[in-house]
Every structure is written in C-alpha cells, then in structure tokens.
Amino acid sequence: NLLPAIVSGLRDALGYSNAQAGYVASANIYGAAAGALGAVWIVKRFPWKRVEAAALTGMILLDLISIRVTELPGLIILRALHGLSGGVSVGVGLAVMARTRVPQRAYGAQFTLQVLLGGLGLMWLPALAARAGAYVLFLSLAGVSLVTLLLLPMMAEYPIVAGRSSGQQSSTALRPLVATLVALFLFQAANMALYAFIIPLGRDYGLATPFVSYTLGIADWVAASGSILAMSLGLRFGRLRPLALAMLVTIPATSAFLRSDVGFVFVVANILTGMAWSFVVPCLFGICASVDGSGRSATLGGFVSKMGLASGPFLATFTVGSGNYTLLVCASVMALLVVFLAAAWPAALLDRASMSRVTVG
C-alpha cells in the first residue's frame, strides 16, 4: 500500500526517473513473492514466532542500510532482499491467521488495517520525503517493522490444527484449491492493472489531476468498509452468496470506467471497485485457508496474490503503451468474469459441505 509513496519519494528525494523508481519497486515486489513462496515450505517446519522475529529483524536492518545507499544497483539489491524478508513475514502471518476459527474474519481485519494505515502513509510520506530526503521512507518502514516485532511476544501460539471438520476436509482436493488460486491471481492482476494507471486513465478522459487524486484518496478510505464487512459477516451467509454479490457489484463498476468522462461515474466506479476489492480478497483467502490446518495453502495464496499484483501492471503496459485505456478496462472486466466462474465452484463446495455437516450434526 505504501509503494506509490516510495516510488514518488525516490523520484523527488534521489532524482530517480520513473523507470528507475519502478525498478526498485519491482525488485521489492518480486522479492516479496519469492519470500512468500519460501514461507509455504517454512510454516510447517519451524516455530512461526522465531521465523517471524528473524524476518522482521532482517527487514529493519535492510531499511536502515537503505538509508545510506543512493546508487540504483545497490538499492535494487537491498530492496529485493527486503522484499524477500517481507514475503516470508507476510506468508507466515497468513498461515497463522488460517489457523484461527474463522480465517476470513482475520483476513478482513488485516486488510482493514492495511488500507487505513496505508492511506495515512500515502498522505504524509511523499511530502516528507521531498522535504527531508529519502531516509524518511526507509525509517518509516523500519518503524512499522519494529512495532510489529515488539507486538510479537504478546501473541498466542496458534498451533497447527491437527484435524479439520468434515466441511473443511471436503476441500482438500487439489482442483478446488487451484481454481481458488487462479481466481485470486486474476482478481489481483485485473484490479491492480487498472489501479496502477487510473490517474492517466482519468486524464485521458478529460478529468483534472486534482479531481482524480482527491477521488482516489476518498475511495481508498471508503474501501476499508468492504474488508470491515467481510470481517463482520464471517461465514454467517456462507461463502458463495456474499462472493457472488460482490462480483456482481465490481464487474459493472469496472465497466463504468468506460464512461470516465463523467466525473460522477468515475467517483462511483472507484468507490465501488475499491469496496469490492477489499471484500473479495479476504473471502478468497478464507477459501484457501480451508484446505489444511497448517496454513500452507493460505501462504501459497499469498504468493499467488503478490504475483497477480506484480503482473497486472506489467501486462497492462501492452495496452496503455499505445494509450488504449478502453482495451485495458475491457480486459479487466473479462478477467473478473473468469474470477467469478473460478471462485464460485470451490465456494459452493465448501457451503455444501458445511450444510451437510450441520444436517448430520
């Protein structure tokens, strides 16, 4: 969530070009994806608190070292290593949340904090970095990791769940998990592809830059209501119905970006897609978490999610490079349709299994 602030700060404080700042950001994202993939192997073999403490310590040290580095090659290497440590940290965290009674609720809380705190960072860090220097960026990141490290001893142990209920055991087949991972990848890629270029898209449709920026700021904060709703609902209405309703909101709302020449439509589209984004992601992670008791499937979901977030903007460049924002919107809508088809099946399986367990009980 702080990535736009970091990119902006590197440009303003160190004089990096857009491409150079983008290289640093990409190194961090792909490093995080590699770390999340490694966490799939780690979570069942090592005590999670020790791994988390080591990863957070590594992140703090790498942030502090980054303060002293201004050359592009060195910073790329440092941020890739930071991403690797961060990916392990997040992957382990996702696995631990998967061991809670209602993982979707935990993911909703996490996503809410992520959006709200990320919004504050986006508001403050770019201006601070422009005035004081790039060290503000890395010192802020180190501070967040330090607070997390200090909170770690206060957390419960969350041991691996030895056995799941019959409803959860029914989801252990590989194909439902693969379908969920495909949905998660495409959902993140489709949304991030559009979000990464939403400012030039608005400009292309004739909207003023201040209007676009103000709209994005409001939408980012309102989007937190989606994850709060996911946290509040839990599994009260099952998985399929809430997921289907959210997709029926986000698909037309994404299509509405084709009429971004109308300011009101642009505002509503941003708000609705943001809310749906923050609602659907916890739902998909909740489905992943139902596969096993260790949390490895949720950690694998974290890797797939990061790959989707990193790949979406890259794939979008093939359309926006020629200024074809209409094709970008249409491609995002098509991807979201596939998401709905892919996610509906495992969600229905889990709901059916839960109903069978209740009936038998």
Side-chain angles (χ1 to χ4, degrees):
N1 283 61
L2 293 176
L3 207 59
I6 294 172
V7 170
S8 175
L10 290 174
R11 291 178 56 218
D12 295 338
L14 297 181
Y16 281 9
S17 66
N18 281 331
Q20 290 173 325
Y23 295 150
V24 175
S26 296
N28 190 265
I29 293 174
Y30 282 111
L37 183 61
V40 176
W41 178 80
I42 290 172
V43 289
K44 283 193 70 173
R45 290 170 173 82
F46 302 98
W48 74 268
K49 282 193 176 183
R50 294 182 184 177
V51 174
E52 193 68 66
L56 289 166
T57 301
M59 292 168 67
I60 293 171
L61 292 175
L62 289 164
D63 278 326
L64 295 178
I65 296 172
S66 297
I67 291 174
R68 307 296 301 175
V69 176
T70 58
E71 297 297 324
L72 182 63
L75 197 56
I76 287 176
I77 293 172
L78 283 172
R79 301 323 293 171
L81 292 173
H82 181 277
L84 187 68
S85 298
V88 171
S89 174
V90 172
V92 170
L94 291 172
V96 173
M97 285 190 281
R99 300 172 191 175
T100 60
R101 189 173 61 86
V102 184
Q104 180 174 317
R105 193 166 287 157
Y107 296 132
Q110 177 260 325
F111 208 94
T112 301
L113 289 173
Q114 180 178 315
V115 171
L116 294 178
L117 295 179
L120 289 175
L122 290 174
M123 290 169 60
W124 294 339
L125 287 180
L128 283 174
R131 290 199 303 266
Y135 81 91
V136 171
L137 303 171
F138 302 122
L139 199 60
S140 298
L141 291 173
V144 172
S145 297
L146 179 61
V147 171
T148 310
L149 184 61
L150 294 175
L151 291 173
L152 191 60
M154 306 177 194
M155 296 184 64
E157 292 301 323
Y158 295 105
I160 294 176
V161 181
R164 290 286 193 180
S165 65
S166 58
Q168 290 167 314
Q169 288 174 347
S170 67
S171 67
T172 56
L174 180 61
R175 287 184 295 174
L177 175 60
V178 171
T180 306
L181 294 176
V182 169
L184 184 57
F185 175 86
L186 289 177
F187 187 77
Q188 296 286 58
N191 280 288
M192 187 55 78
L194 196 56
Y195 185 70
F197 295 97
I198 198 66
I199 293 177
L201 181 147
R203 291 172 181 163
D204 189 69
Y205 276 93
L207 300 177
T209 299
F211 175 82
V212 174
S213 299
Y214 187 69
T215 297
L216 294 178
I218 293 176
D220 196 41
W221 280 79
V222 176
S225 62
S227 53
I228 293 173
L229 182 61
M231 178 175 56
S232 303
L233 289 180
L235 300 179
R236 192 180 309 165
F237 299 102
R239 290 180 171 86
L240 180 58
R241 284 187 291 175
L243 184 64
L245 182 60
M247 294 305 298
L248 289 175
V249 169
T250 194
I251 291 173
T254 303
S255 303
F257 282 113
L258 294 172
R259 291 306 314 270
S260 292
D261 55 308
V262 181
F264 176 76
V265 174
F266 183 78
V267 172
V268 173
N270 271 286
I271 290 175
L272 291 180
T273 53
M275 291 175 62
W277 194 350
S278 64
F279 181 86
V280 172
V281 171
C283 291
L284 294 178
F285 269 113
I287 296 174
C288 289
S290 300
V291 173
D292 65 17
S294 69
R296 284 197 301 175
S297 57
T299 303
L300 183 60
F303 164 72
V304 169
S305 173
K306 291 182 185 301
M307 290 301 295
L309 292 172
S311 301
F314 170 74
L315 295 173
T317 59
F318 292 100
T319 64
V320 299
S322 58
N324 196 339
Y325 294 102
T326 299
L327 180 58
L328 175 61
V329 174
C330 292
S332 296
V333 170
M334 293 299 295
L336 290 172
L337 288 170
V338 177
V339 168
F340 180 48
L341 295 175
W345 175 49
L349 284 179
L350 286 170
D351 286 349
R352 194 177 305 125
S354 297
M355 289 297 296
S356 299
R357 187 178 70 253
V358 171
T359 303
V360 172

